[in-house]
Amino acid sequence: MVCQHDNVIWFINMGPNGEKQYFMLAMMQKLLGELPESFTMGFFYDVICTMHHEMECWQLLLKCLPWLKFATLVFHAYGHQWPCQLSYHPYKNLEFGCTDGEGCEREWNLLNGIIPTC
Ligand SMILES: [Zn+2]
């Protein structure tokens, strides 16, 4: 998880099955536990449209939902249906400014040399 300025907040071990939604939910829950209530925060995730829908359906982090903003990473946005792009494309949402949400991808690229040994 990285901040808006691509500084690492947490690393997690995603295990052998790779990237799963519950890792994102766990990190969100951990971060929200560290911040004051009603702290407005934006989250980027590849399939945030699905996750946002599931958070509402399953009432996950329900008390925080009014203060959370969601967007897809800019390069993933075009892989979504048009209604998803309208709701979650970061450049169609003024609250995200020029942030592209690709910070984790950039961090991952920087760490590329040590991945085989880890
Ligand atoms: Zn979508």
Side-chain angles (χ1 to χ4, degrees), residues 49-50 72 80-81 84 88:
C49 51
T50 303
T72 58
H80 290 254
Q81 299 290 321
C84 285
Y88 298 105

Side-chain angles (χ1 to χ4, degrees), residues 3-105:
C3 73
Q4 180 183 10
H5 309 104
D6 294 356
N7 293 315
V8 175
I9 299 173
W10 286 298
F11 284 108
I12 62 167
N13 185 355
M14 293 195 290
N17 295 327
E19 199 174 326
K20 300 288 181 201
Q21 257 181 7
Y22 50 77
F23 292 122
M24 175 64 173
L25 281 168
M27 288 190 291
M28 287 174 66
Q29 187 173 20
K30 171 78 174 148
L31 183 62
L32 291 167
E34 303 283 335
L35 298 170
E37 261 187 50
S38 74
F39 190 89
T40 300
M41 181 169 302
F43 286 98
F44 284 86
Y45 186 62
D46 301 1
V47 284
I48 201 76
C49 51
T50 303
M51 197 171 87
H52 187 192
H53 178 72
E54 290 176 5
M55 287 173 72
E56 289 176 336
C57 284
W58 296 100
Q59 301 185 353
L60 303 170
L61 303 175
L62 194 59
K63 73 175 190 177
C64 302
L65 274 178
W67 300 289
L68 301 181
K69 308 296 178 195
F70 300 103
T72 58
L73 298 97
V74 73
F75 292 116
H76 288 79
Y78 297 106
H80 290 254
Q81 299 290 321
W82 182 240
C84 285
Q85 290 186 34
L86 289 176
S87 297
Y88 298 105
H89 193 294
Y91 294 166
K92 297 188 184 317
N93 189 335
L94 296 176
E95 293 168 316
F96 285 100
C98 293
T99 304
D100 62 10
E102 299 286 345
C104 278
E105 303 294 338

